[in-house]
Amino acid sequence: MIDIKTFMLVLAVGNIAFAMLMAGYARSGAVNPAMRMWKWAKLVQGIASLLAYLQSAGVPLWMSVATASVLVLGITLEAAAYCAFFGYQRWRRMLYPLTALCLLLYYAAPLAGASARDMGVMLSLMIALFSGAMAAALLRPGRPASALQRIIGVNNLVFAAAMALRACFSHTSLGVVSGAPGVVQSVAYLAGYLLMIVNGFGFLLLCKEKDDRAMALLATIDSLTGLVNRRAFFERTESARLLAARLRSPVSLMMLDLDHFKSLNDRFGHAAGDEALCVFSATAQASLREHDIMGRLGGEEFALVMPGTGLAGALHAADRLRLAVQGARLPGLEDAYAMTVSIGVVAVEPGEHINAALARADHALYAAKSAGRNRVEAGQAVGQVARQCA
């Protein structure tokens, strides 16, 4: 079995190396603020492990207490980094007072006659407590968690259990079975080593996972309105169309355009135009179903696909949306600008390409504009368009 001093040296070198690795990574560009906190956590833990390695047998109690305090502060920073990373609210009100209380009890223990063994038990219990808190933050009971989070969370949970068992078996009053302490100590060492490796690389991977999600969001979502962008709209619409074809289910399509949008920009500026787009988007999304697909195609032009809805239902939904937009108001421009929308609606024919359906819906939208705006117009069927072209 590995001895405690060698184990402390391994932890010191590993944690300090992780801190240096993260410091170098942070210099390469913008990183999650929690990573900076994590970097300091690893550095403080590495220093604490190095101090423990340098201590010889029979050192004064205050030196052991000081080293343990540094370790607890490092673990607290690690827990804080997880809480900041996942965006938990009010964690400072719980974590920092809990740390202060644990340290005060730890400092008061020698005054109450606690032995070095008792101090070791208290330290193991504190480490188990904070590791368990990190496991809870990662596993997020009642909230979705990625596979990576669960792996790191379970690792923290195993280490917390190992440290709790170590504390229990280290207490002389429990009547430990012969041989159990060595087994528990080995498990605690192994769990601690795995914790350093899994948590170190795991946090970097969590940051990358979060960045990948953000990049995917930027690639599919219009940053101003929160709707899907043009590329994502076509991808999702094609998938919905193919599914509807297999299920022999109807699909309807709308083209929507804000009325007098150019005059709004000219009179009140582009900031007012952006506000109008945001208000329209929020109003539209509030009246849509979860599986409806609405995207911003460009400027003030939007498209909406309604899977499972025929032309009659789509016309009714379009008029309901038109009335909702008519009732919406722009902050600060309530009396100066009345927002309205014109809508063209078509039923997507089986096998019809989405571009062809958009062209028919756009033609219906133009008819709504020509007829006075703030209207809903149904587009011509494919057969009617073909006869006109002939």
Side-chain angles (χ1 to χ4, degrees):
M1 184 184 70
I2 187 172
D3 64 279
I4 184 65
K5 286 186 69 67
T6 304
F7 181 66
M8 288 295 106
L9 180 60
V10 169
L11 291 184
V13 172
N15 283 316
I16 292 174
F18 273 122
M20 294 173 62
L21 179 66
M22 292 178 188
Y25 179 77
R27 291 177 64 88
S28 63
V31 296
N32 193 297
M35 181 173 285
R36 296 186 179 89
M37 196 178 297
W38 180 270
K39 174 189 67 178
W40 288 108
K42 294 287 103 179
L43 181 61
V44 172
Q45 290 176 30
I47 291 173
S49 299
L50 184 60
L51 291 174
Y53 169 74
L54 294 175
Q55 288 178 7
S56 57
V59 297
L61 183 60
W62 69 266
M63 291 184 64
S64 298
V65 170
T67 300
S69 300
V70 175
L71 178 60
V72 170
L73 290 175
I75 297 175
T76 299
L77 282 174
E78 186 175 351
Y82 277 125
C83 293
F85 180 82
F86 290 116
Y88 289 113
Q89 303 295 322
R90 298 186 297 275
W91 59 268
R92 291 179 179 83
R93 299 180 185 179
M94 298 179 60
L95 182 61
Y96 293 154
L98 178 62
T99 303
L101 177 62
C102 289
L103 288 177
L104 284 175
L105 292 174
Y106 190 66
Y107 297 151
L111 302 178
S115 65
R117 180 184 291 271
D118 294 331
M119 299 296 287
V121 169
M122 289 187 67
L123 178 60
S124 295
L125 290 175
M126 284 191 290
I127 294 174
L129 175 64
F130 287 106
S131 295
M134 286 186 277
L138 282 154
L139 297 176
R140 308 169 79 178
R143 301 174 64 181
S146 67
L148 179 60
Q149 285 176 236
R150 289 194 290 270
I151 291 171
I152 304 172
V154 168
N155 191 70
N156 276 271
L157 193 61
V158 169
F159 181 69
M163 294 305 295
L165 286 173
R166 182 176 183 270
C168 293
F169 283 117
S170 295
H171 201 284
T172 55
S173 64
L174 295 181
V176 180
V177 178
S178 177
V183 173
V184 172
Q185 190 84 316
S186 298
V187 172
Y189 285 164
L190 179 60
Y193 180 74
L194 288 176
L195 185 77
M196 178 187 68
I197 299 298
V198 174
N199 276 17
F201 287 112
F203 195 83
L204 284 171
L205 292 174
L206 281 175
C207 291
K208 184 181 183 302
E209 186 179 63
K210 191 171 186 178
D211 290 341
D212 289 345
R213 285 197 300 266
M215 291 299 294
L217 195 65
L218 288 174
T220 58
I221 301 298
D222 176 62
S223 59
L224 178 63
T225 62
L227 300 172
V228 296
N229 59 23
R230 185 183 186 91
R231 182 176 67 86
F233 173 79
F234 280 100
E235 290 177 354
R236 298 185 185 186
T237 296
E238 184 62 15
S239 298
R241 188 188 67 80
L242 293 175
L243 178 61
R246 288 198 297 270
L247 299 177
R248 300 182 182 276
S249 176
V251 178
S252 293
L253 171 68
M254 301 182 198
M255 286 287 291
L256 310 94
D257 191 278
L258 289 181
D259 298 326
H260 304 295
F261 185 74
K262 184 178 184 303
S263 63
L264 172 65
N265 278 331
D266 293 340
R267 289 174 60 194
F268 303 107
H270 289 284
D274 289 347
E275 183 67 26
L277 294 174
C278 292
V279 171
F280 169 75
S281 170
T283 303
Q285 290 183 84
S287 65
L288 299 180
R289 302 168 301 179
E290 184 178 351
H291 60 277
D292 292 336
I293 306 167
M294 187 170 187
R296 183 186 180 194
L297 301 188
E300 72 278 19
E301 199 169 60
F302 299 83
L304 169 63
V305 169
M306 301 186 73
T309 302
L311 183 60
L315 287 170
H316 179 73
D319 199 57
R320 187 173 64 247
L321 173 57
R322 179 189 65 82
L323 292 174
V325 172
Q326 183 177 313
R329 293 292 179 268
L330 295 187
L333 296 177
E334 291 84 354
D335 300 325
Y337 175 75
M339 184 165 58
T340 60
V341 63
S342 298
I343 307 175
V345 186
V346 298
V348 181
E349 301 290 343
E352 183 183 18
H353 195 278
I354 186 61
N355 287 336
L358 278 171
R360 291 194 295 117
D362 191 55
H363 191 271
L365 172 62
Y366 179 77
K369 292 280 190 182
S370 300
R373 295 183 172 84
N374 191 23
R375 294 172 57 87
V376 175
E377 290 286 343
Q380 295 178 325
V382 173
Q384 292 175 309
V385 174
R387 284 194 296 271
Q388 286 185 356
C389 292

